[in-house]
Amino acid sequence: MAKALRKWPGKQGAKTLYITPGSPWENPFIESFNDKFRDECLNMHMFLNLEHAEEVIEPWRIEYNQERAHSSLDYMTPSEFAAHYRNSSRPTASLRHGNEHTPGANNQVEENTLTAVGT
């Protein structure tokens, strides 16, 4: 399964960046998210099955994306940030960190961009 996951981005036309194992400073945004997700959600529950995990994780995801302000987003929620920059010429945080931006392309940001159960 891991091999299939590694091949999938290329099939979708996306590029991946290699992050050295044990080097969280190479991707501090996801490391910060992973720490919060583990401390605030995963370590607090013992999941009985996939449905139970979805019942617990989905409310946490909604709170994280729609109710919690993030310092890295100028103290906006991810949903507010996405709405604010959706029609702006200023690139979003993900585009400011080396991702390609094609002028004139449809570069919309979805409301639930950070995490989604089952994707």
Side-chain angles (χ1 to χ4, degrees):
M1 179 154 189
K3 288 180 183 180
L5 286 173
R6 279 194 297 254
K7 291 178 183 178
W8 183 83
K11 290 179 182 178
Q12 305 304 313
K15 296 178 183 177
T16 59
L17 297 175
Y18 178 75
I19 296 175
T20 309
S23 302
W25 52 88
E26 290 183 20
N27 191 355
F29 298 105
I30 195 63
E31 292 300 324
S32 175
F33 167 78
N34 286 343
D35 287 344
K36 287 176 178 66
F37 184 48
R38 180 156 304 283
D39 290 345
E40 299 172 11
C41 188
L42 298 179
N43 287 346
M44 304 296 287
H45 303 278
M46 182 172 287
F47 302 113
L48 304 174
N49 52 43
L50 181 59
E51 290 79 22
H52 182 228
E54 289 173 348
E55 289 172 9
V56 170
I57 294 169
E58 184 63 7
W60 186 90
R61 184 190 68 81
I62 290 169
E63 188 271 334
Y64 187 86
N65 284 330
Q66 298 176 6
E67 299 169 14
R68 181 188 299 192
H70 296 252
S71 61
S72 64
L73 302 177
D74 292 331
Y75 295 94
M76 290 186 272
T77 67
S79 294
E80 291 169 334
F81 182 84
H84 183 75
Y85 290 104
R86 182 171 286 116
N87 296 317
S88 172
S89 61
R90 180 178 172 190
T92 62
S94 62
L95 295 174
R96 278 185 256 145
H97 296 285
N99 293 342
E100 293 179 14
H101 176 69
T102 307
N106 186 2
N107 293 305
Q108 291 183 337
V109 179
E110 294 181 21
E111 287 292 323
N112 299 323
T113 55
L114 295 181
T115 60
V117 174
T119 60

